[in-house]
Amino acid sequence: MSNTSKTLTPRSAAADDPTAAPVAVVDPRLLVREEGLKGYVTEFRRKIKGGELGSLPVVIGLVVIWAIFQLQNDRFLSADNLANISYYLSATGMLAIGLVFVLLLGEIDLSVGSVSGLASTLFAVFVADQGLNAWLALALTIITGILIGALHGWFFARIGVPAFVVTLAGFLGWNGLMLWLLGDSGTINIPSDSGPVHLLGQSSFFMDQAIIGAYLLAGLGVVLSLVGNVNEQRRRKAANVPFRPTGEILLRVLLLALVSFAAAAVLNNSAGVSNALVIFLACLITMDFVLRRTTYGRKVFAVGGGTEAARRAGISVPMIRISVFAIAGGFAAVGGMFFAGQTASATLSAGGGNTLMLAIAAAVIGGTSLFGGRGSVWSALLGMLVIQSIQTGLDLLNMNTSIQYMITGGVLLGAVVIDSVSRRSQKAAGRA
């Protein structure tokens, strides 16, 4: 494809006047390349008018939330408080990663909170009661979560039971099993020095080696981003399709470097980078690669965009559905291990309370559509930053939990409204 505009004759003009002059239609990607900064501004306006908002609303919302809480309490943006936000968002964030896959199909999984609580309880039983090796117990726990999710997906995909009903039954059933395993005490303490619990606790390698670890991780992220963008540019050049110019790639990588090293510097002024945050970010990068760079990821988006069209394209819709719920179950189990690492115990509150609602809210607030077919695993990070910032900010202001629920609910409603309006705008622009 040459980097020149193509001239097409719109169907309506040709029908009204066969002698009508052709109308120039410019590929917006080529417009960006040809007009430089003006092209980027034009493309940005086109996306806004067409409802392609991306992560812009949640980023603006996060900035506003941080500004409001900082004005109310100058400790909000302190290194210690930001380190706490980064640590405690990871557990629920793991649940949100799995939910993103389910939401991409336009479905819902109400069982992830109970599965995470059951996972932490199973790990505690394996290690504290049965004396099993901690790492083997971790593997068994995660496998159990995957099998539970696959079971939900099988009932949905093969039997035809609505996902809402299947996972609601799972929410009740797995919560009951957790209560039965915990017994009358309601708590099973886990040795804090057991491998996974120590790994996910607030004491970690990256905290002990804060300065080295934080900057190494920031540098690694920047290098991986640069390599990934350059490789994509090379592939698109070879395929003779529009590609990002080198200047844009360098600008993107520079911005990432500024954010990454600034975050590392802030966390270094506190306890450093927690293992929980590192593992959470590693999972985000991995699953983002799965969704955007693999055949499987494209199949997930295809099924979410239209089941019948995906089936006619030769995609095994039942297998995609089962695998997606298995992923959600696996990440719910991992999230349960994060909860266990935070308290070195399995308790009645693990995965309970508002954990499920916050995980769903995080995925939706972060930009994943409830209607399916559109979203990113980075929604889990953005959404959890918003939710955890609200929780922490209200705690600093000594406000009641009820206020937190009301504000979070309002933010969630706003995110769904934006999503709905965005989809309507895309339909009007012919891009749905």
Side-chain angles (χ1 to χ4, degrees):
M1 180 184 297
S2 63
N3 288 353
T4 57
S5 60
K6 294 185 176 181
T7 302
L8 304 176
T9 302
R11 183 178 178 180
S12 58
D16 294 337
D17 184 2
T19 63
V23 178
V25 179
V26 181
D27 187 327
R29 295 169 298 184
L30 299 180
L31 180 68
V32 168
R33 312 303 185 256
E34 293 174 352
E35 298 189 1
L37 180 60
K38 180 182 176 181
Y40 283 103
V41 173
T42 302
E43 176 67 357
F44 177 75
R45 289 176 176 172
R46 183 195 66 78
K47 286 184 176 181
I48 296 298
K49 291 178 65 176
E52 300 175 60
L53 302 179
S55 301
L56 182 62
V58 68
V59 172
I60 294 175
L62 186 61
V63 172
V64 171
I65 289 170
W66 282 13
I68 291 175
F69 282 125
Q70 179 65 15
L71 290 174
Q72 297 298 315
N73 190 314
D74 58 8
R75 291 182 297 161
F76 180 80
L77 292 180
S78 66
D80 288 340
N81 191 58
L82 291 177
N84 283 334
I85 291 175
S86 70
Y87 174 68
Y88 286 106
L89 64 79
S90 57
T92 308
M94 281 294 186
L95 276 65
I97 292 177
L99 281 169
V100 166
F101 279 78
V102 177
L103 290 173
L104 285 174
L105 298 189
E107 302 297 338
I108 194 68
D109 188 342
L110 301 179
S111 69
V112 292
S114 296
V115 173
S116 70
L118 176 61
S120 64
T121 303
L122 285 174
F123 179 81
V125 170
F126 289 150
V127 174
D129 292 350
Q130 304 299 321
L132 202 63
N133 175 273
W135 295 105
L136 177 58
L138 173 65
L140 292 175
T141 299
I142 296 176
I143 290 173
T144 300
I146 293 173
L147 292 176
I148 288 175
L151 179 64
H152 295 160
W154 183 81
F155 274 106
F156 168 53
R158 296 296 187 184
I159 306 301
V161 182
F164 178 89
V165 176
V166 172
T167 57
L168 178 59
F171 166 79
L172 298 172
W174 305 125
N175 187 60
L177 179 57
M178 180 191 74
L179 297 177
W180 180 74
L181 290 173
L182 288 174
D184 295 334
S185 64
T187 301
I188 300 177
N189 293 319
I190 306 171
S192 58
D193 59 349
S194 60
V197 171
H198 177 71
L199 178 71
L200 297 173
Q202 287 189 303
S203 175
S204 70
F205 172 80
F206 291 100
M207 289 183 174
D208 298 336
Q209 310 291 333
I211 295 178
I212 298 176
Y215 288 126
L216 280 178
L217 288 170
L220 178 61
V222 172
V223 170
L224 289 176
S225 176
L226 177 61
V227 171
N229 277 281
V230 170
N231 284 338
E232 181 183 10
Q233 181 194 58
R234 178 180 53 80
R235 288 194 302 269
R236 295 183 71 85
K237 276 185 177 180
N240 198 27
V241 295
F243 55 87
R244 287 196 180 109
T246 303
E248 180 182 342
I249 291 176
L250 293 178
L251 179 60
R252 284 170 173 262
V253 173
L254 176 62
L255 291 175
L256 175 63
L258 290 174
V259 173
S260 300
F261 282 98
V266 170
L267 294 177
N268 280 342
N269 287 328
S270 181
V273 183
S274 67
N275 279 340
L277 178 61
V278 173
I279 296 172
F280 177 51
L281 292 176
C283 289
L284 284 172
I285 293 171
T286 302
M287 301 317 292
D288 178 66
F289 177 84
V290 169
L291 273 180
R292 296 195 304 115
R293 303 293 185 188
T294 68
T295 302
Y296 173 78
R298 290 190 287 272
K299 289 180 179 179
V300 171
F301 279 107
V303 174
T307 302
E308 186 57 34
R311 183 179 290 111
R312 293 188 179 189
I315 298 173
S316 176
V317 174
M319 290 308 299
I320 293 297
R321 286 173 167 172
I322 292 172
S323 65
V324 160
F325 278 91
I327 290 172
F331 274 101
V334 175
M337 289 306 308
F338 276 58
F339 287 123
Q342 291 175 0
T343 61
S345 64
T347 65
L348 293 173
S349 61
N354 62 346
T355 301
L356 168 65
M357 295 299 104
L358 291 180
I360 296 174
V364 176
I365 290 172
T368 298
S369 175
L370 279 170
F371 304 100
R374 188 178 64 189
S376 165
V377 293
W378 293 102
S379 302
L381 174 61
L382 291 173
M384 279 310 303
L385 274 173
V386 170
I387 290 173
Q388 195 64 47
S389 296
I390 293 173
Q391 290 180 328
T392 305
L394 293 178
D395 287 342
L396 285 177
L397 299 179
N398 295 318
M399 287 193 176
N400 194 283
T401 306
S402 60
I403 304 297
Q404 172 196 315
Y405 288 173
M406 287 187 282
I407 292 177
T408 304
V411 172
L412 174 60
L413 178 60
V416 177
V417 169
I418 290 174
D419 182 34
S420 300
V421 173
S422 174
R423 288 178 63 86
R424 188 183 305 167
S425 299
Q426 286 188 356
K427 282 186 177 181
R431 301 180 62 88

